[in-house]
Amino acid sequence: MKTRAAVLREVSRRRPYGGTRPLEIEELDLGAPRAGEVRVRTAAASLCHSDLSVVNGDRVRPLPMALGHEAVGVVEETGPGVDRLVPGDHVALVFVPSCGYCARCTEGRPALCDRAAAANGSGALLHGPSLLTDAAGERVHHHLGVSAFAEHAVVAQESVVPIPADVPFAVASLFGCAVLTGAGAAINTARLGPGRSAVVYGLGGVGLSAVLGARAAGAGPIVAVDPVPAKRDLALRLGATHAFAPDEALEAVRDLTGGGAEVAIEAVGSPQVMAACLDAVGRGGTVVPVGLPAPGRSLEVPALAFAGEGKSIVGSYMGDAVPRRDIPRFLGLWRSGLMPVEHLHTGTLPLDGLNTALEELASGRAVRQVVDTSGLLSATAS
């Protein structure tokens, strides 16, 4: 079948992105789902820094590539062997499918699935090569097994999680990456609980989701750090107890926590901010980096912080989430009012507006912009 999709053919560090138009909306051929795969009509896809990092070359991916990895949609067709999904199901798309058999999957860490990492890195799907081709017959690679900036996507069944049909598409679209990564880092990786102190550096969609996760876990105080005043204000509305600019944060955190926070979550992707997080935690504290730095960047920190002060740095990919467990769990917290992720939604745009949206994201003004990929979002809103 034919589908319209946003395709990146060469990286672009030039801004404004709206003027350079690194993403072109093209009509592609999309193959039918194979065994273990499903075709989804995408309803809403959120724009994430991981998308921007592919556009500007920080994350090296095979090109051309159809971008987008955080989305929700409706199942239209299933391939052979798919027995837990049927046409009409609403599903959240997840950017790391899990094979269920490798060492990481069997130990309960599907975000680190070996087969998924290989497939995602090559631009393929878990069950086979790319199903996308352009008008010239050239293969177009999948982005993280999803390629959600499109009207339709074929994905591995392991990349989808069924969700209730009454969850608004714009809300549900945030759960496959931002909420899994940020709230997951707070709840699964850091294991925050009542009364544990936390500081979150970087208040984009992932960092604010970490604030929501910390609040839902009962942590306190929760300190939010970002240079943008509007994002600090939003963090306070979402459950942070205090918010500071980066140059104010270290002294303030130490004063509030009696020497340093128990947990610091880094959601910027900057080695300098990771080092600041290590300073901001007290003796025995834990730094949880979730931001993705550009390859080749190094972290330099005082070696004595570990054996001498008992501090630790614990990596967290996709929030150490188990999507089939955590998406329903986090949706339950949303229903109860403990995780109001709808406040992360800072704008809705059509597929043709993606390049302008990239500029908004790169500027730091936007938190989560939602793309109405196939008209379903506007249809349900009306």
mmCIF file of all heavy atoms in Angstrom, residues 308-342:
data_model
loop_
_atom_site.group_PDB
_atom_site.id
_atom_site.type_symbol
_atom_site.label_atom_id
_atom_site.label_comp_id
_atom_site.label_asym_id
_atom_site.label_seq_id
_atom_site.Cartn_x
_atom_site.Cartn_y
_atom_site.Cartn_z
ATOM 1 N N GLY A 308 35.151 6.755 47.802
ATOM 2 C CA GLY A 308 35.286 7.648 48.951
ATOM 3 C C GLY A 308 33.971 8.149 49.500
ATOM 4 O O GLY A 308 33.825 8.358 50.705
ATOM 5 N N GLU A 309 32.985 8.378 48.614
ATOM 6 C CA GLU A 309 31.716 8.943 49.062
ATOM 7 C C GLU A 309 30.536 8.015 48.805
ATOM 8 O O GLU A 309 29.398 8.359 49.128
ATOM 9 C CB GLU A 309 31.471 10.293 48.378
ATOM 10 C CG GLU A 309 32.550 11.327 48.706
ATOM 11 C CD GLU A 309 32.336 12.630 47.951
ATOM 12 O OE1 GLU A 309 31.685 12.624 46.884
ATOM 13 O OE2 GLU A 309 32.813 13.661 48.443
ATOM 14 N N GLY A 310 30.784 6.873 48.231
ATOM 15 C CA GLY A 310 29.731 5.890 48.032
ATOM 16 C C GLY A 310 28.705 6.284 46.992
ATOM 17 O O GLY A 310 27.595 5.725 46.956
ATOM 18 N N LYS A 311 29.049 7.234 46.128
ATOM 19 C CA LYS A 311 28.110 7.634 45.088
ATOM 20 C C LYS A 311 28.128 6.632 43.938
ATOM 21 O O LYS A 311 29.088 5.872 43.767
ATOM 22 C CB LYS A 311 28.441 9.041 44.573
ATOM 23 C CG LYS A 311 28.345 10.131 45.633
ATOM 24 C CD LYS A 311 28.667 11.504 45.049
ATOM 25 C CE LYS A 311 28.575 12.587 46.109
ATOM 26 N NZ LYS A 311 28.847 13.948 45.559
ATOM 27 N N SER A 312 27.077 6.646 43.128
ATOM 28 C CA SER A 312 27.024 5.733 41.985
ATOM 29 C C SER A 312 26.326 6.407 40.814
ATOM 30 O O SER A 312 25.520 7.324 40.990
ATOM 31 C CB SER A 312 26.285 4.433 42.351
ATOM 32 O OG SER A 312 24.964 4.704 42.758
ATOM 33 N N ILE A 313 26.675 5.938 39.616
ATOM 34 C CA ILE A 313 26.000 6.354 38.394
ATOM 35 C C ILE A 313 25.373 5.101 37.795
ATOM 36 O O ILE A 313 26.065 4.118 37.512
ATOM 37 C CB ILE A 313 26.980 6.998 37.393
ATOM 38 C CG1 ILE A 313 27.602 8.254 37.987
ATOM 39 C CG2 ILE A 313 26.255 7.345 36.089
ATOM 40 C CD1 ILE A 313 28.625 8.924 37.085
ATOM 41 N N VAL A 314 24.064 5.130 37.627
ATOM 42 C CA VAL A 314 23.327 3.967 37.144
ATOM 43 C C VAL A 314 22.609 4.342 35.853
ATOM 44 O O VAL A 314 21.703 5.189 35.864
ATOM 45 C CB VAL A 314 22.301 3.471 38.195
ATOM 46 C CG1 VAL A 314 21.542 2.257 37.667
ATOM 47 C CG2 VAL A 314 23.006 3.137 39.504
ATOM 48 N N GLY A 315 23.022 3.742 34.748
ATOM 49 C CA GLY A 315 22.386 4.047 33.478
ATOM 50 C C GLY A 315 20.958 3.549 33.423
ATOM 51 O O GLY A 315 20.588 2.567 34.077
ATOM 52 N N SER A 316 20.137 4.250 32.612
ATOM 53 C CA SER A 316 18.732 3.879 32.477
ATOM 54 C C SER A 316 18.314 4.092 31.035
ATOM 55 O O SER A 316 18.291 5.230 30.549
ATOM 56 C CB SER A 316 17.861 4.733 33.412
ATOM 57 O OG SER A 316 16.495 4.402 33.288
ATOM 58 N N TYR A 317 18.001 3.009 30.334
ATOM 59 C CA TYR A 317 17.525 3.106 28.956
ATOM 60 C C TYR A 317 16.046 2.744 28.933
ATOM 61 O O TYR A 317 15.648 1.694 29.449
ATOM 62 C CB TYR A 317 18.320 2.175 28.043
ATOM 63 C CG TYR A 317 18.000 2.350 26.569
ATOM 64 C CD1 TYR A 317 18.024 3.610 25.985
ATOM 65 C CD2 TYR A 317 17.681 1.262 25.773
ATOM 66 C CE1 TYR A 317 17.736 3.775 24.636
ATOM 67 C CE2 TYR A 317 17.398 1.421 24.421
ATOM 68 C CZ TYR A 317 17.425 2.690 23.862
ATOM 69 O OH TYR A 317 17.134 2.855 22.529
ATOM 70 N N MET A 318 15.238 3.630 28.341
ATOM 71 C CA MET A 318 13.779 3.473 28.325
ATOM 72 C C MET A 318 13.239 3.258 29.740
ATOM 73 O O MET A 318 12.254 2.556 29.964
ATOM 74 C CB MET A 318 13.348 2.330 27.395
ATOM 75 C CG MET A 318 11.895 2.434 26.923
ATOM 76 S SD MET A 318 11.457 1.239 25.647
ATOM 77 C CE MET A 318 11.352 -0.273 26.620
ATOM 78 N N GLY A 319 13.913 3.883 30.717
ATOM 79 C CA GLY A 319 13.429 3.821 32.095
ATOM 80 C C GLY A 319 13.415 2.436 32.688
ATOM 81 O O GLY A 319 12.665 2.176 33.638
ATOM 82 N N ASP A 320 14.269 1.527 32.172
ATOM 83 C CA ASP A 320 14.251 0.136 32.647
ATOM 84 C C ASP A 320 12.830 -0.412 32.657
ATOM 85 O O ASP A 320 12.447 -1.219 33.518
ATOM 86 C CB ASP A 320 14.874 0.013 34.046
ATOM 87 C CG ASP A 320 16.388 0.014 34.012
ATOM 88 O OD1 ASP A 320 16.955 -0.617 33.096
ATOM 89 O OD2 ASP A 320 17.012 0.657 34.872
ATOM 90 N N ALA A 321 12.040 0.033 31.678
ATOM 91 C CA ALA A 321 10.624 -0.329 31.676
ATOM 92 C C ALA A 321 10.382 -1.690 31.047
ATOM 93 O O ALA A 321 11.134 -2.153 30.196
ATOM 94 C CB ALA A 321 9.821 0.725 30.910
ATOM 95 N N VAL A 322 9.328 -2.306 31.487
ATOM 96 C CA VAL A 322 8.720 -3.458 30.816
ATOM 97 C C VAL A 322 7.414 -2.920 30.247
ATOM 98 O O VAL A 322 6.428 -2.773 30.980
ATOM 99 C CB VAL A 322 8.469 -4.617 31.799
ATOM 100 C CG1 VAL A 322 7.845 -5.803 31.069
ATOM 101 C CG2 VAL A 322 9.771 -5.031 32.489
ATOM 102 N N PRO A 323 7.380 -2.561 28.961
ATOM 103 C CA PRO A 323 6.241 -1.799 28.435
ATOM 104 C C PRO A 323 4.883 -2.433 28.681
ATOM 105 O O PRO A 323 3.924 -1.728 29.018
ATOM 106 C CB PRO A 323 6.562 -1.691 26.940
ATOM 107 C CG PRO A 323 8.057 -1.704 26.887
ATOM 108 C CD PRO A 323 8.456 -2.680 27.951
ATOM 109 N N ARG A 324 4.761 -3.760 28.540
ATOM 110 C CA ARG A 324 3.440 -4.385 28.735
ATOM 111 C C ARG A 324 2.982 -4.285 30.180
ATOM 112 O O ARG A 324 1.789 -4.353 30.461
ATOM 113 C CB ARG A 324 3.498 -5.849 28.301
ATOM 114 C CG ARG A 324 3.708 -6.033 26.815
ATOM 115 C CD ARG A 324 3.669 -7.500 26.443
ATOM 116 N NE ARG A 324 4.295 -7.743 25.157
ATOM 117 C CZ ARG A 324 4.479 -8.945 24.630
ATOM 118 N NH1 ARG A 324 4.080 -10.016 25.299
ATOM 119 N NH2 ARG A 324 5.066 -9.079 23.458
ATOM 120 N N ARG A 325 3.915 -4.125 31.099
ATOM 121 C CA ARG A 325 3.569 -3.913 32.511
ATOM 122 C C ARG A 325 3.401 -2.433 32.815
ATOM 123 O O ARG A 325 2.445 -2.025 33.486
ATOM 124 C CB ARG A 325 4.686 -4.485 33.392
ATOM 125 C CG ARG A 325 4.522 -4.239 34.886
ATOM 126 C CD ARG A 325 5.836 -4.474 35.623
ATOM 127 N NE ARG A 325 6.832 -3.444 35.315
ATOM 128 C CZ ARG A 325 8.119 -3.555 35.613
ATOM 129 N NH1 ARG A 325 8.585 -4.646 36.202
ATOM 130 N NH2 ARG A 325 8.953 -2.568 35.317
ATOM 131 N N ASP A 326 4.347 -1.610 32.331
ATOM 132 C CA ASP A 326 4.421 -0.235 32.792
ATOM 133 C C ASP A 326 3.471 0.719 32.080
ATOM 134 O O ASP A 326 2.987 1.681 32.695
ATOM 135 C CB ASP A 326 5.861 0.274 32.676
ATOM 136 C CG ASP A 326 6.776 -0.372 33.701
ATOM 137 O OD1 ASP A 326 6.268 -0.792 34.751
ATOM 138 O OD2 ASP A 326 7.990 -0.457 33.461
ATOM 139 N N ILE A 327 3.190 0.526 30.797
ATOM 140 C CA ILE A 327 2.247 1.435 30.143
ATOM 141 C C ILE A 327 0.866 1.339 30.794
ATOM 142 O O ILE A 327 0.280 2.371 31.148
ATOM 143 C CB ILE A 327 2.211 1.198 28.620
ATOM 144 C CG1 ILE A 327 3.512 1.728 28.003
ATOM 145 C CG2 ILE A 327 0.998 1.872 27.990
ATOM 146 C CD1 ILE A 327 3.617 1.546 26.500
ATOM 147 N N PRO A 328 0.308 0.136 31.022
ATOM 148 C CA PRO A 328 -0.967 0.084 31.757
ATOM 149 C C PRO A 328 -0.863 0.663 33.167
ATOM 150 O O PRO A 328 -1.804 1.319 33.660
ATOM 151 C CB PRO A 328 -1.286 -1.415 31.786
ATOM 152 C CG PRO A 328 -0.581 -1.979 30.601
ATOM 153 C CD PRO A 328 0.694 -1.189 30.502
ATOM 154 N N ARG A 329 0.265 0.417 33.827
ATOM 155 C CA ARG A 329 0.434 0.944 35.185
ATOM 156 C C ARG A 329 0.456 2.471 35.186
ATOM 157 O O ARG A 329 -0.217 3.113 36.007
ATOM 158 C CB ARG A 329 1.735 0.390 35.783
ATOM 159 C CG ARG A 329 2.039 0.911 37.176
ATOM 160 C CD ARG A 329 3.085 0.101 37.884
ATOM 161 N NE ARG A 329 4.379 0.084 37.223
ATOM 162 C CZ ARG A 329 5.541 0.011 37.874
ATOM 163 N NH1 ARG A 329 5.548 -0.067 39.197
ATOM 164 N NH2 ARG A 329 6.673 -0.018 37.226
ATOM 165 N N PHE A 330 1.203 3.059 34.257
ATOM 166 C CA PHE A 330 1.288 4.515 34.200
ATOM 167 C C PHE A 330 -0.030 5.129 33.716
ATOM 168 O O PHE A 330 -0.399 6.232 34.140
ATOM 169 C CB PHE A 330 2.452 4.942 33.316
ATOM 170 C CG PHE A 330 3.806 4.579 33.877
ATOM 171 C CD1 PHE A 330 4.916 4.466 33.038
ATOM 172 C CD2 PHE A 330 3.987 4.353 35.222
ATOM 173 C CE1 PHE A 330 6.160 4.130 33.542
ATOM 174 C CE2 PHE A 330 5.228 4.011 35.757
ATOM 175 C CZ PHE A 330 6.320 3.905 34.903
ATOM 176 N N LEU A 331 -0.729 4.435 32.820
ATOM 177 C CA LEU A 331 -2.057 4.916 32.430
ATOM 178 C C LEU A 331 -3.007 4.921 33.633
ATOM 179 O O LEU A 331 -3.858 5.816 33.770
ATOM 180 C CB LEU A 331 -2.636 4.043 31.312
ATOM 181 C CG LEU A 331 -2.144 4.342 29.892
ATOM 182 C CD1 LEU A 331 -2.609 3.254 28.932
ATOM 183 C CD2 LEU A 331 -2.621 5.712 29.424
ATOM 184 N N GLY A 332 -2.859 3.948 34.513
ATOM 185 C CA GLY A 332 -3.659 3.932 35.728
ATOM 186 C C GLY A 332 -3.355 5.130 36.611
ATOM 187 O O GLY A 332 -4.273 5.723 37.200
ATOM 188 N N LEU A 333 -2.080 5.496 36.710
ATOM 189 C CA LEU A 333 -1.714 6.675 37.485
ATOM 190 C C LEU A 333 -2.273 7.940 36.832
ATOM 191 O O LEU A 333 -2.690 8.880 37.522
ATOM 192 C CB LEU A 333 -0.190 6.766 37.614
ATOM 193 C CG LEU A 333 0.460 5.696 38.493
ATOM 194 C CD1 LEU A 333 1.977 5.751 38.375
ATOM 195 C CD2 LEU A 333 0.041 5.855 39.950
ATOM 196 N N TRP A 334 -2.293 7.971 35.485
ATOM 197 C CA TRP A 334 -2.895 9.107 34.779
ATOM 198 C C TRP A 334 -4.385 9.201 35.102
ATOM 199 O O TRP A 334 -4.902 10.280 35.405
ATOM 200 C CB TRP A 334 -2.674 8.958 33.275
ATOM 201 C CG TRP A 334 -3.478 9.918 32.463
ATOM 202 C CD1 TRP A 334 -3.243 11.249 32.286
ATOM 203 C CD2 TRP A 334 -4.677 9.633 31.731
ATOM 204 N NE1 TRP A 334 -4.218 11.813 31.494
ATOM 205 C CE2 TRP A 334 -5.102 10.835 31.133
ATOM 206 C CE3 TRP A 334 -5.429 8.464 31.516
ATOM 207 C CZ2 TRP A 334 -6.250 10.913 30.344
ATOM 208 C CZ3 TRP A 334 -6.563 8.538 30.729
ATOM 209 C CH2 TRP A 334 -6.965 9.753 30.160
ATOM 210 N N ARG A 335 -5.094 8.078 35.047
ATOM 211 C CA ARG A 335 -6.529 8.096 35.338
ATOM 212 C C ARG A 335 -6.812 8.595 36.756
ATOM 213 O O ARG A 335 -7.818 9.264 37.011
ATOM 214 C CB ARG A 335 -7.119 6.696 35.164
ATOM 215 C CG ARG A 335 -7.280 6.246 33.727
ATOM 216 C CD ARG A 335 -8.117 4.973 33.689
ATOM 217 N NE ARG A 335 -8.142 4.377 32.372
ATOM 218 C CZ ARG A 335 -8.950 4.769 31.388
ATOM 219 N NH1 ARG A 335 -9.770 5.792 31.585
ATOM 220 N NH2 ARG A 335 -8.936 4.157 30.221
ATOM 221 N N SER A 336 -5.927 8.258 37.678
ATOM 222 C CA SER A 336 -6.147 8.646 39.073
ATOM 223 C C SER A 336 -5.784 10.098 39.341
ATOM 224 O O SER A 336 -6.040 10.599 40.444
ATOM 225 C CB SER A 336 -5.324 7.741 39.989
ATOM 226 O OG SER A 336 -3.936 8.054 39.883
ATOM 227 N N GLY A 337 -5.185 10.769 38.350
ATOM 228 C CA GLY A 337 -4.767 12.151 38.526
ATOM 229 C C GLY A 337 -3.367 12.316 39.061
ATOM 230 O O GLY A 337 -2.894 13.459 39.223
ATOM 231 N N LEU A 338 -2.673 11.204 39.330
ATOM 232 C CA LEU A 338 -1.313 11.292 39.874
ATOM 233 C C LEU A 338 -0.253 11.516 38.816
ATOM 234 O O LEU A 338 0.886 11.842 39.145
ATOM 235 C CB LEU A 338 -0.987 10.008 40.657
ATOM 236 C CG LEU A 338 -1.738 9.818 41.967
ATOM 237 C CD1 LEU A 338 -1.425 8.455 42.555
ATOM 238 C CD2 LEU A 338 -1.373 10.933 42.950
ATOM 239 N N MET A 339 -0.596 11.358 37.533
ATOM 240 C CA MET A 339 0.376 11.537 36.472
ATOM 241 C C MET A 339 -0.290 12.280 35.298
ATOM 242 O O MET A 339 -0.569 11.714 34.249
ATOM 243 C CB MET A 339 0.929 10.177 36.015
ATOM 244 C CG MET A 339 2.238 10.268 35.257
ATOM 245 S SD MET A 339 2.943 8.633 34.898
ATOM 246 C CE MET A 339 3.698 8.249 36.484
ATOM 247 N N PRO A 340 -0.544 13.580 35.460
ATOM 248 C CA PRO A 340 -1.267 14.351 34.441
ATOM 249 C C PRO A 340 -0.390 14.706 33.236
ATOM 250 O O PRO A 340 -0.023 15.869 33.017
ATOM 251 C CB PRO A 340 -1.723 15.598 35.210
ATOM 252 C CG PRO A 340 -0.688 15.787 36.269
ATOM 253 C CD PRO A 340 -0.258 14.396 36.668
ATOM 254 N N VAL A 341 -0.087 13.724 32.426
ATOM 255 C CA VAL A 341 0.848 13.911 31.321
ATOM 256 C C VAL A 341 0.302 14.824 30.236
ATOM 257 O O VAL A 341 1.067 15.310 29.397
ATOM 258 C CB VAL A 341 1.267 12.555 30.708
ATOM 259 C CG1 VAL A 341 1.900 11.662 31.749
ATOM 260 C CG2 VAL A 341 0.086 11.862 30.064
ATOM 261 N N GLU A 342 -1.009 15.087 30.233
ATOM 262 C CA GLU A 342 -1.563 15.970 29.205
ATOM 263 C C GLU A 342 -0.951 17.364 29.253
ATOM 264 O O GLU A 342 -0.925 18.089 28.251
ATOM 265 C CB GLU A 342 -3.087 16.063 29.338
ATOM 266 C CG GLU A 342 -3.600 16.675 30.607
ATOM 267 C CD GLU A 342 -3.795 15.664 31.733
ATOM 268 O OE1 GLU A 342 -3.291 14.525 31.614
ATOM 269 O OE2 GLU A 342 -4.451 16.022 32.731
#
